[in-house]
Amino acid sequence: DTGVSQDPRHKITKRGQNVTFRCDPISEHNRLYWYRQTLGQGPEFLTYFQNEAQLEKSRLLSDRFSAERPKGSFSTLEIQRTEQGDSAMYLCASSRSTDTQYFGPGTRLTVL
Amino acid sequence: AQTVTQSQPEMSVQEAETVTLSCTYDTSESDYYLFWYKQPPSRQMILVIRQEAYKQQNATENRFSVNFQKAAKSFSLKISDSQLGDAAMYFCAYRSGNSGYALNFGKGTSLLVTP
């Protein structure tokens, strides 16, 4: 296993801009999860996919957020019209079925 | 929704000593999983140990062990023979066994290891 990878590792953007993050899960992991972590807090669940299907979304995932997982491989998380409150670490994790979730290094977003 | 509480924002331990991190959770479910994750500064989250609620035996991974008290809804982590590399944020997490797969995390405990 090469581990979960995320790109970019850091992103600085201006308020109102759109940003997109990518997550590549561990190969053959059919479940993929997105979390958000703000300073001094534990990660908060955003959404998860089983293969290409998005099966659960948190109330934290406002209309400005959209996630996809085409072909059940990598996933993208897009934030439209970013706000300063979106500044956080965005974490991706993957797992086999209901097994343990393995996390990537995260993408740190700063909205100016 | 299930809540996870870590009542110790910070803990300190000397090298080679033992430390216990506390975690309590609130749930009405009987089937669930509990985890401890470690997050070193500026590094990614790593699984330390997991416990299935249906297992009475406490999980152990080398120097890490848990004290799982199901009736008390308590899940503490014991680190024996602490090493400098154990310094990190430690998060306790809960996952339902039958209603969704999201991890619910506590706010974390920052562990400092002193020489």
Side-chain angles (χ1 to χ4, degrees):
Chain A
D1 289 337
T2 56
V4 178
S5 61
Q6 293 187 244
D7 184 68
R9 296 291 304 278
H10 303 273
K11 179 70 176 179
I12 300 173
T13 191
K14 294 182 179 179
R15 189 174 51 188
Q17 297 295 306
N18 299 343
V19 294
T20 299
F21 310 140
R22 176 180 170 125
C23 171
D24 287 89
I26 294 171
S27 58
E28 299 180 358
H29 278 192
N30 62 336
R31 292 185 189 271
L32 186 146
Y33 312 79
W34 285 99
Y35 293 84
R36 183 175 71 184
Q37 185 178 22
T38 53
L39 199 62
Q41 302 293 319
E44 297 171 294
F45 171 76
L46 293 177
T47 188
Y48 102 91
F49 293 83
Q50 180 169 325
N51 299 314
E52 67 276 9
Q54 188 174 18
L55 296 184
E56 190 175 347
K57 292 197 292 186
S58 160
R59 289 173 298 175
L60 292 175
L61 211 65
S62 75
D63 292 344
R64 297 184 297 105
F65 287 69
S66 63
E68 294 182 343
R69 192 183 182 198
K71 301 179 183 179
S73 55
F74 71 92
S75 175
T76 58
L77 178 68
E78 180 183 18
I79 309 174
Q80 296 182 329
R81 305 181 302 283
T82 52
E83 301 173 356
Q84 287 186 325
D86 296 332
S87 295
M89 177 76 84
Y90 289 84
L91 298 171
C92 177
S94 70
S95 73
R96 279 194 297 253
S97 297
T98 57
D99 206 348
T100 299
Q101 294 178 29
Y102 294 91
F103 284 81
T107 294
R108 182 169 295 284
L109 173 65
T110 302
V111 182
L112 302 176
Chain B
Q2 295 82 10
T3 56
V4 177
T5 302
Q6 295 180 248
S7 59
Q8 306 153 317
E10 294 180 349
M11 291 285 284
S12 181
V13 63
Q14 279 193 318
E15 241 183 321
E17 296 297 310
T18 295
V19 64
T20 298
L21 308 184
S22 301
C23 173
T24 58
Y25 57 95
D26 183 25
T27 186
S28 58
E29 298 179 328
S30 58
D31 182 19
Y32 54 87
Y33 301 82
L34 295 165
F35 304 83
W36 279 98
Y37 280 89
K38 168 186 176 181
Q39 189 175 41
S42 301
R43 296 182 65 183
Q44 67 195 76
M45 194 93 67
I46 303 166
L47 175 71
V48 175
I49 200 164
R50 79 178 243 166
Q51 175 82 42
E52 292 85 351
Y54 63 84
K55 289 186 178 179
Q56 294 187 341
Q57 187 172 5
N58 290 327
T60 299
E61 286 289 343
N62 300 315
R63 298 182 295 107
F64 299 87
S65 62
V66 297
N67 183 6
F68 174 46
Q69 300 289 327
K70 191 171 184 178
K73 297 179 183 175
S74 171
F75 183 61
S76 61
L77 175 69
K78 185 171 82 171
I79 305 173
S80 304
D81 186 26
S82 297
Q83 301 175 358
L84 294 177
D86 294 333
M89 282 292 291
Y90 285 81
F91 292 98
C92 178
Y94 172 104
R95 197 195 84 211
S96 169
N98 50 31
S99 61
Y101 301 99
L103 288 170
N104 291 323
F105 285 88
K107 289 189 175 184
T109 296
S110 178
L111 178 65
L112 175 67
V113 182
T114 57

